[in-house]
Amino acid sequence: MARIAGVNIPTAKRVPIALTYITGIGPHTAKAICEALKIDSARRVNQLNDSEVLAIREYIDANLTVEGDLRREVTMNIKRLMDLGCYRGLRHRKGLPVRGQRTHTNARTRKGPAKAIAGKKK
């Protein structure tokens, strides 16, 4: 198994697909990495030699924010919003949808399972 950015990427998959297993790298970025390093996107990870894996690792380290650093950055951005007390920060703090979605119905992912209203009988 090739280990890139602290993640064991699957060896049987094509290189662009395998790179998407790294947090912060999507299909478009994975394809761009292959083009920049002139790696054929039809090749599999187990067909790469050590120098190509090293080149991918160095390219990612030099040009992209991935895995732990990316998670830390996102978390710090959310904490900053919460400390400011802005609307988005308050929505994060209350565990409600942040981007203007309705909450009268739906929003169960953010709000959790529905709670029964006590004392209400039919």
Side-chain angles (χ1 to χ4, degrees):
M1 270 194 155
R3 190 165 177 85
I4 299 174
V7 177
N8 291 328
I9 61 173
T11 54
K13 294 189 182 289
R14 293 186 307 115
V15 176
I17 304 300
L19 287 176
T20 61
Y21 280 67
I22 300 170
T23 302
I25 298 179
H28 182 77
T29 308
K31 197 171 180 183
I33 291 170
C34 290
E35 289 172 2
L37 298 175
K38 295 178 178 60
I39 295 173
D40 183 25
S41 60
R43 289 177 65 191
R44 310 262 172 189
V45 174
N46 56 11
Q47 296 171 341
L48 297 176
N49 56 38
D50 292 337
S51 63
E52 289 171 325
V53 173
L54 183 64
I56 291 172
R57 192 176 298 133
E58 288 174 351
Y59 182 88
I60 290 172
D61 287 341
N63 300 313
L64 301 171
T65 305
V66 292
E67 284 299 320
D69 294 336
L70 180 64
R71 287 192 184 104
R72 194 173 310 108
E73 189 176 317
V74 169
T75 305
M76 290 305 296
N77 288 339
I78 292 171
K79 281 184 183 171
R80 178 180 53 83
L81 290 171
M82 288 167 49
D83 290 342
L84 286 172
C86 65
Y87 182 77
R88 284 172 55 201
L90 295 175
R91 301 298 281 185
H92 273 292
R93 195 178 300 152
K94 291 178 181 177
L96 294 169
V98 176
R99 297 187 177 179
Q101 297 91 334
R102 66 182 292 133
T103 56
H104 179 69
T105 59
N106 301 336
R108 293 276 44 121
T109 301
R110 287 291 301 205
K111 291 169 69 175
K115 299 168 196 81
I117 299 171
K120 206 165 198 196
K121 297 179 183 177
K122 287 189 176 183

